[in-house]
Amino acid sequence: MANESRPCPCDIGDRFDYGGRGQEVQVGHIKAYVCKPPASTEKAVIVIHDIFGWELPNTRYIADMLTTNGYIAICPDFFAGQEAWKPSNDWATFKDWLKTREASKIDKYNCCSLSRDWSSFCSLSFYLRKDVKIDPKLLMDQIQEVDVVLKYLREQCGAKETGVIGFCWGGAAVQHLMLKNPHMKTGVSLYGVIRYFEDRSNLLHPTFFIFAEKDDYIPLEEVTLLEQKLKQNCKVDYGVKIYPGQTHGFVHRKREDINPQDKPFIEEARKDMINWLNKYL
């Protein structure tokens, strides 16, 4: 387990020197990186970034890999303009940083980023005033960021079927979507932190979980518990796979050309991810 001074093992790893084949676009209130295959397709995959944000070249490399396999790929900024974590940041501040970037809330619009006219309404002090009564449903049912992305994929890209993949923070977000969101066809969670979900097994959609054997942040006991609960309760197809000798972030934060001992596992995991998407999209 990670210690308190380093509450997350997310080294940025091998930062890819990669420019990307796609383009940045505005999708509702957030920005996104989009890449499309040469041939027309109605299948799309949302790529959910890790704590280092939507601009990390490594994540865009994976998005472009999806495109070479025939999918429209979109990597939105699910931090909605908030600053991504930087390797130079003080890890002592990580927990506070994470509080405003909860993976389980990516499909809820952050009302504090609404227009200036809403600023007083959205202030915490306003919510806490005893003389003000607000319908809780109004607070929860804000414009959903995921819905904004799905709308863009339908209307601007012609997508009719959408899956989702995510890494680390994004892997946890994938599990949230597979548990709660009815609009996805399938998902692949890559080393997503699973301890934050009380209900880990009542999946709505086929989901594949990729884990690393030597992940300091996701103990194998938690993976075993996840498997047990899925076996007992899950009514859709699922897969859980642990890759020997690998560490957190291996699929997208390791360059196989300079990690020859890890190359077979990196390539295997990426192939497994594509095969799962091909099966259910």
Side-chain angles (χ1 to χ4, degrees):
M1 294 294 293
N3 59 43
E4 291 186 1
S5 63
R6 180 78 178 234
C8 177
C10 292
D11 290 314
I12 201 166
D14 306 321
R15 186 183 177 95
F16 293 6
D17 182 15
Y18 184 75
R21 302 176 187 174
Q23 61 181 335
E24 295 182 4
V25 298
Q26 190 72 33
V27 179
H29 61 287
I30 58 177
K31 293 181 179 180
Y33 173 80
V34 179
C35 192
K36 300 178 182 179
S40 177
T41 180
E42 296 178 344
K43 300 178 180 182
V45 178
I46 299 172
V47 180
I48 306 182
H49 54 76
D50 58 19
I51 64 171
F52 297 111
W54 73 292
E55 295 178 297
L56 185 69
N58 305 41
T59 308
R60 296 188 175 192
Y61 177 83
I62 298 295
D64 289 354
M65 180 185 299
L66 294 170
T67 300
T68 62
N69 283 272
Y71 295 102
I72 302 163
I74 182 168
C75 181
D77 174 17
F78 280 111
F79 291 162
Q82 295 185 95
E83 191 173 37
W85 185 259
K86 296 179 180 177
S88 59
N89 287 5
D90 181 0
W91 282 102
T93 67
F94 180 75
K95 289 183 179 179
D96 288 336
W97 176 90
L98 194 61
K99 287 177 182 177
T100 59
R101 299 161 178 83
E102 293 185 37
S104 62
K105 294 184 178 179
I106 67 163
D107 53 353
K108 298 297 179 184
Y109 190 93
N110 177 3
C111 68
C112 294
S113 62
L114 288 170
S115 66
R116 216 174 274 176
D117 294 339
W118 283 67
S119 59
S120 60
F121 174 80
C122 294
S123 68
L124 181 60
S125 60
F126 184 89
Y127 290 155
L128 296 179
R129 282 171 50 188
K130 293 181 179 180
D131 60 316
V132 175
K133 294 183 178 180
I134 300 175
D135 182 357
K137 192 175 187 299
L138 179 63
L139 302 182
M140 293 303 295
D141 292 347
Q142 302 294 336
I143 301 171
Q144 295 185 329
E145 288 170 0
V146 167
D147 281 352
V148 170
V149 175
L150 289 171
K151 183 174 185 289
Y152 173 86
L153 289 171
R154 287 194 306 269
E155 297 182 357
Q156 302 299 320
C157 303
K160 294 184 178 179
E161 294 185 333
T162 302
V164 59
I165 69 168
F167 307 93
C168 184
W169 183 93
V174 167
Q175 186 170 6
H176 162 73
L177 292 173
M178 294 297 97
L179 289 167
K180 303 294 183 183
N181 195 297
H183 303 298
M184 304 289 178
K185 295 287 289 185
T186 188
V188 180
S189 172
L190 297 97
Y191 27 86
V193 181
I194 54 181
R195 74 175 67 99
Y196 300 133
F197 296 96
E198 183 178 346
D199 177 7
R200 303 177 182 181
S201 58
N202 193 23
L203 300 171
L204 299 177
H205 316 284
T207 308
F208 186 61
F209 296 88
I210 289 175
F211 294 107
E213 180 188 27
K214 296 184 178 180
D215 193 320
D216 290 333
Y217 200 48
I218 305 174
L220 292 181
E221 309 88 79
E222 291 185 4
V223 179
T224 299
L225 180 60
L226 172 65
E227 287 188 279
Q228 291 172 350
K229 290 195 171 186
L230 288 170
K231 187 175 182 179
Q232 293 169 0
N233 304 315
C234 190
K235 295 179 175 60
V236 299
D237 194 12
Y238 67 88
V240 177
K241 189 168 180 178
I242 300 169
Y243 295 78
Q246 297 309 296
T247 56
H248 193 85
F250 76 100
V251 178
H252 78 303
R253 294 199 201 128
K254 282 186 179 181
R255 284 176 48 183
E256 56 268 41
D257 57 336
I258 59 176
N259 297 280
Q261 72 281 7
D262 300 313
K263 181 177 179 179
F265 303 105
I266 297 170
E267 292 180 343
E268 180 182 354
R270 292 174 179 175
K271 183 178 179 180
D272 289 342
M273 175 185 71
I274 296 296
N275 287 342
W276 188 270
L277 294 172
N278 289 346
K279 184 177 181 179
Y280 290 105
L281 278 183

